[in-house]
Amino acid sequence: MKFNQSNIKKAKKYLDKNYCIGVPTETVYGLAANAFSSYAVKKIFKLKKRPKSNPLIVHYSNISDLKNDCLISDEFLKLYKKFCPGPLTFVLHLKKNSKISKIVTNNKKTLAVRFPKHRVFKKLINDLNYPLAAPSANISTKVSAVKASDVKDDFGKKIHYVLDGGKSKIGLESTIIDLTKFPQILRLGGLEVSKIESVLNKKIKININPSKKIAPGQSKLHYSPGIPLRMNALKPKKNEAYLLVKKKKIKSFNYFYLSKKNDLKEAAKNLYSYLRKIKNKGYKSIAVEKIPNIGLGKSINDRLKRASRF
Ligand code: AMP
Ligand code: MG
């Protein structure tokens, strides 16, 4: 993807005017606005039809800006050094004098923060005087966007601009770790939990389906393609789309392969675009073959499970 300075300037101009725009990240596309402006972030909730109770992730370019808004710990620093910028979101304690809009956090005393790696995003955020609140750029409960055209399909003329950064390399949302009490994973995502465990040198609690919701990404229906989806299918029914990880010999119009080489990373990258594609082709349901529950396969299965509750 060509680096286009004039598009970045354009994006900055819209954000400085408190508009809400589509931005590329390595996980999925974000719907971004100035995190210090209640006026700007209110638009995000409205556009996404997102409940006010579901707080937004705030994106930073560097740790010294973050320190204006959040308290940090040794565990945070260890993980930051190893994985940032990258697909890891931290839930931290918010500082009393932080300028983050209370709309972002729904008045909570904690804040979810991330440092994206995408070079276009990084260039943009480096030029701004405020951090960016940016949830995934899709209508709430639906499949996330991994291309600029996905964002345009979802929001059309309702947003003024989408900064094109090519297809998202990871294709799944960030992993969320809550560091406000003891480390716990609130959402599986683009970074494998085993890698986090080896840096912190301990087993970490996975709390992705708690009885009391901490993060609405934990809500049961989410990431839905808008048609029924069933998992662990041995074969498709008549007229059903069949989603597979591994390239098999069978070539059929209704078979969609997420990877050429049985590679879970490649499968994760392609998952959302295939779910969108299948729906757009007019299929009424999707069968998915059993996906190995290892590495990123765990994050893929988490998304499919929530998507299957249509
Ligand atoms: P999205 O922005 O669509 O990727 O979703 C962001 C996720 O981060 C949602 O599941 C939020 O509930 C979660 N989140 C944001 N802020 C907090 C917070 N302070 N505590 C716990 N989870 C949060
Ligand atoms: Mg989302």
Side-chain angles (χ1 to χ4, degrees):
M1 185 75 207
K2 256 176 82 187
F3 197 90
N4 187 330
Q5 191 62 45
S6 73
N7 286 350
I8 291 173
K9 262 197 184 147
K10 210 167 169 180
K12 173 174 158 48
K13 226 164 101 184
Y14 280 116
L15 290 167
D16 284 347
K17 285 187 181 158
N18 285 329
Y19 283 109
C20 189
I21 63 166
V23 294
T25 89
E26 74 280 16
T27 57
V28 296
Y29 271 69
L31 192 62
N34 176 356
F36 291 157
S37 162
S38 296
Y39 172 80
V41 294
K42 270 184 194 164
K43 292 182 189 165
I44 296 180
F45 287 90
K46 196 166 171 216
L47 281 163
K48 273 185 67 87
K49 304 193 178 104
R50 181 168 172 121
K52 286 195 183 83
S53 58
N54 188 352
L56 307 176
I57 297 176
V58 175
H59 299 76
Y60 289 86
S61 64
N62 62 72
I63 199 165
S64 65
D65 287 349
L66 171 82
K67 282 181 184 165
N68 293 330
D69 297 319
C70 293
L71 299 170
I72 59 169
S73 61
D74 287 350
E75 275 174 337
F76 166 81
L77 281 173
K78 273 190 198 159
L79 295 172
Y80 174 83
K81 279 186 191 139
K82 186 78 185 173
F83 300 118
C84 296
L88 180 61
T89 293
F90 304 88
V91 176
L92 303 174
H93 288 292
L94 196 57
K95 278 189 171 171
K96 280 212 178 81
N97 59 353
S98 156
K99 290 201 292 189
I100 297 292
S101 158
K102 298 217 175 341
I103 309 283
V104 167
T105 57
N106 190 35
N107 279 313
K108 273 161 93 82
K109 294 192 169 63
T110 57
L111 182 69
V113 304
R114 186 166 94 82
F115 302 85
K117 194 174 185 173
H118 196 293
R119 52 200 281 269
V120 173
F121 186 95
K122 267 173 42 182
K123 182 75 193 89
L124 170 67
I125 200 157
N126 269 330
D127 290 349
L128 304 174
N129 297 321
Y130 43 83
L132 281 179
S136 52
N138 55 286
I139 307 290
S140 266
T141 78
K142 299 286 191 272
V143 172
S144 298
V146 292
K147 290 185 289 186
S149 58
D150 295 340
V151 186
K152 287 176 193 155
D153 286 347
D154 278 13
F155 296 104
K157 293 213 171 78
K158 287 188 185 148
I159 55 175
H160 289 81
Y161 191 59
V162 182
L163 179 59
D164 193 342
K167 188 168 173 182
S168 296
K169 277 201 176 132
I170 294 176
L172 286 178
E173 296 78 1
S174 57
T175 300
I176 303 182
I177 185 162
D178 182 351
L179 294 177
T180 57
K181 295 178 200 105
F182 50 89
Q184 54 177 331
I185 300 295
L186 303 186
R187 175 172 79 186
L188 299 179
L191 180 68
E192 286 112 302
V193 175
S194 58
K195 292 187 178 165
I196 298 175
E197 288 180 329
S198 62
V199 170
L200 293 185
N201 207 10
K202 63 178 169 194
K203 192 105 192 96
I204 297 173
K205 187 172 174 194
I206 310 276
N207 199 6
I208 56 174
N209 289 307
S211 45
K212 180 173 174 285
K213 268 189 282 161
I214 310 173
Q218 297 170 320
S219 67
K220 292 215 162 137
L221 173 74
H222 213 125
Y223 316 109
S224 164
I227 50 177
L229 177 149
R230 62 191 182 95
M231 297 172 71
N232 304 324
L234 293 176
K235 56 179 191 205
K237 292 178 191 154
K238 202 171 166 236
N239 296 329
E240 198 174 36
Y242 196 29
L243 197 55
L244 305 100
V245 176
K246 191 177 170 184
K247 194 93 194 157
K248 284 190 187 136
K249 291 241 166 61
I250 309 167
K251 268 197 188 148
S252 171
F253 66 95
N254 62 334
Y255 278 50
F256 298 87
Y257 295 98
L258 289 172
S259 166
K260 290 195 182 83
K261 297 167 292 188
N262 200 19
D263 175 11
L264 289 171
K265 237 180 169 175
E266 191 189 0
K269 180 177 173 180
N270 289 326
L271 178 67
Y272 290 147
S273 29
Y274 274 70
L275 292 178
R276 280 177 183 260
K277 189 161 142 184
I278 288 167
K279 167 88 188 325
N280 290 339
K281 279 181 180 282
Y283 284 95
K284 298 282 179 274
S285 63
I286 308 175
V288 189
E289 79 164 349
K290 190 177 170 87
I291 295 189
N293 208 33
I294 47 167
L296 283 186
K298 289 185 184 170
S299 305
I300 296 175
N301 282 325
D302 173 79
R303 301 300 187 268
L304 290 172
K305 210 178 281 166
R306 293 177 208 274
S308 69
R309 295 196 177 105
F310 176 73

